Amino acid sequence: MKIVTDEKRLLGPGPCNVSERVRAALARPMLGHLDPDFLEVMETCKDRLRGVFRTRNAATFPVSGTGSAGMEFLLVNFVEPGDRVVVGVNGVFGSRMANLAEKIGAEVHRITAAWGEALPLDGLKAAIDEHKPKFFGLVNGETSTGVYQSVDGLAEAVHAHGGLFALDCVTSLAGMPVEIDARGIDLAFSGTQKCLACPPGLAPVTVSERAREALARRLRPVPSFYLDLNEILAYINGSGGRSYHHTAPISMVVALTEALAEVLEEGLEARWERHAEAARYLTAQFGKRGFTPLVAEGDRLHPLTTLRLPEGFDETAVRKRLLVEHGIEVGAGLGPLAGKIWRIGLMGHNARPEVVDELLAAFDSGTP
Ligand code: PLP
């Protein structure tokens, strides 16, 4: 087995590179999961997550599992068989959410747009008014296409019919505005390996009071042990009386707590601007090399840029060369966009012009 010790530059759809500070946190001595010192870390982690999500929701914490566990957590707790669900689908992750709701037995309505296009707000509002969903799900940053979905005015439409608005913030959180409370979002999940710049392994989630009231009105028990919100809360919230539910991934929680400190010290606005600037620079520089943006300017997901490839470009060979010769990873297209685009992630500490220059130098070194 090859043990990799040299750091690669991770410019794909995630994970991204992690700072020395987060790596050091990951390597701290092990604590017991009910040790008061760890409980303090967990409280700090929850507080910092509230800061990054911009929410006052008490139920804000990291689910043990990757981003998909966060998605599944929202669906198993807040969707029951027969519930009406509307999901915006314009890429892999909206499709995953809709399929999961179907597995639970919900009546699912998919509102679709072409891959690379945002879902029009008036179409989404019309679908909400027509179907009156109990659960309305959207992907804020569609990592398969590089689209950042606006959510303006949607919460009001969903709430008018008594529904819950759920947002996948895996690629947007800490890279672009999410603003849970200001936008009236009831439920959200993220992942640690994107703009939070932490290894993969946890799914930060937040649950509003409205959503918790809806949970209390469920007709059937939550069909999961591991992801049952009430069971998890008794474990991570019960001050003085925490009851064992599962063994929290201690080192990951410690690392995430440190990564969140980095985000909050920088400031969310400054971080969003840094991601925007790096993406603009990347797009302009690759434009000079024949790559064109897939997504219209106002709809671009800054942490993940999708670029159409120049005519006749051997994308597999060049990606391989970048990785093998330069230790730089960039992402390929998925589904209908396979072989047509590159997905270049400038997430967390990688959202800097120097990193783009590093990629360009490597790219140009093989161009005749
Ligand atoms: N949602 C989005 C938008 C994603 O980009 C991802 C992962 O890339 C996920 C959900 C699933 O997260 P994970 O792969 O960490 O399970």
Side-chain angles (χ1 to χ4, degrees):
M1 185 191 71
K2 185 171 159 195
I3 296 177
V4 179
T5 51
D6 290 341
E7 186 162 27
K8 299 191 185 189
R9 182 62 79 183
L10 303 180
L11 305 183
C16 62
N17 295 88
V18 167
S19 69
E20 280 301 326
R21 182 171 164 187
V22 169
R23 282 161 59 168
L26 204 53
R28 280 186 208 148
M30 191 52 56
L31 285 168
H33 72 121
L34 295 172
D35 185 308
D37 289 338
F38 177 64
L39 301 183
E40 201 181 312
V41 173
M42 180 62 99
E43 288 309 306
T44 306
C45 183
K46 285 155 52 182
D47 265 352
R48 290 180 184 167
L49 276 177
R50 276 186 278 270
V52 173
F53 273 124
R54 292 231 168 116
T55 182
R56 293 149 71 106
N57 292 338
T60 302
F61 58 92
V63 165
S64 303
T66 64
S68 305
M71 186 187 283
E72 198 146 343
F73 163 82
L74 292 194
L75 284 143
V76 293
N77 281 285
F78 298 98
V79 175
E80 291 192 69
D83 283 351
R84 269 195 311 276
V85 167
V86 169
V87 181
V89 177
N90 52 352
V92 167
F93 297 102
S95 181
R96 183 177 294 183
M97 198 189 292
N99 294 346
L100 199 44
E102 249 162 17
K103 282 192 183 185
I104 291 171
E107 174 193 316
V108 179
H109 300 271
R110 292 173 175 77
I111 311 305
T112 60
W115 285 42
E117 286 177 17
L119 293 146
L121 290 173
D122 51 357
L124 290 170
K125 276 188 203 143
I128 293 164
D129 289 340
E130 183 188 344
H131 300 296
K132 304 178 179 44
K134 185 170 157 201
F135 182 103
F136 171 67
L138 268 190
V139 180
N140 196 200
E142 191 32 276
T143 326
S144 59
T145 63
V147 168
Y148 175 76
Q149 177 65 46
S150 163
V151 303
D152 288 348
L154 296 178
E156 290 78 356
V158 176
H159 294 161
H161 303 294
L164 299 175
F165 183 5
L167 197 63
D168 173 338
C169 307
V170 170
T171 302
S172 52
L173 190 67
M176 287 184 82
V178 166
E179 306 287 291
I180 294 298
D181 287 359
R183 290 178 169 168
I185 295 153
D186 299 288
L187 300 163
F189 70 95
S190 190
T192 41
Q193 73 271 27
K194 313 265 182 176
C195 303
L196 295 174
C198 194
L202 290 173
V205 298
T206 188
V207 175
S208 71
E209 286 306 316
R210 284 184 77 250
R212 289 178 71 179
E213 285 160 18
L215 182 65
R217 292 194 297 271
R218 269 187 77 102
L219 301 174
R220 305 165 187 80
V222 172
S224 167
F225 159 75
Y226 197 61
L227 297 174
D228 184 323
L229 174 60
N230 287 323
E231 299 238 26
I232 299 174
L233 287 183
Y235 174 49
I236 63 165
N237 267 357
S239 45
R242 294 178 196 241
S243 55
Y244 165 71
H245 174 251
H246 67 287
T247 309
I250 317 291
S251 302
M252 270 304 300
V253 177
V254 172
L256 173 61
T257 306
E258 206 62 37
L260 291 167
E262 288 188 334
V263 173
L264 293 169
E265 282 164 20
E266 178 174 10
L268 285 175
E269 278 77 6
R271 201 168 173 97
W272 300 337
E273 187 46 38
R274 186 162 61 70
H275 281 77
E277 247 176 60
R280 280 194 289 268
Y281 181 57
L282 174 82
T283 304
Q285 292 302 315
F286 269 91
K288 295 180 189 164
R289 290 157 177 84
F291 290 70
T292 51
L294 173 72
V295 178
E297 193 163 355
D299 297 328
R300 289 182 198 153
L301 177 63
H302 302 142
L304 195 276
T305 296
T306 46
L307 298 170
R308 284 190 187 281
L309 309 173
E311 198 66 34
F313 179 71
D314 185 351
E315 74 91 18
T316 317
V318 181
R319 264 191 307 113
K320 188 170 171 200
R321 179 178 69 74
L322 288 173
L323 186 62
V324 173
E325 293 177 18
H326 302 274
I328 300 179
E329 178 184 276
V330 296
L334 289 178
L337 296 172
K340 296 189 178 142
I341 62 163
W342 267 5
R343 293 182 301 148
I344 306 180
L346 296 174
M347 299 175 184
H349 309 287
N350 287 339
R352 287 181 288 124
E354 307 87 271
V355 174
V356 177
D357 287 338
E358 212 179 284
L359 170 63
L360 292 169
F363 183 84
D364 292 343
S365 70
T367 312

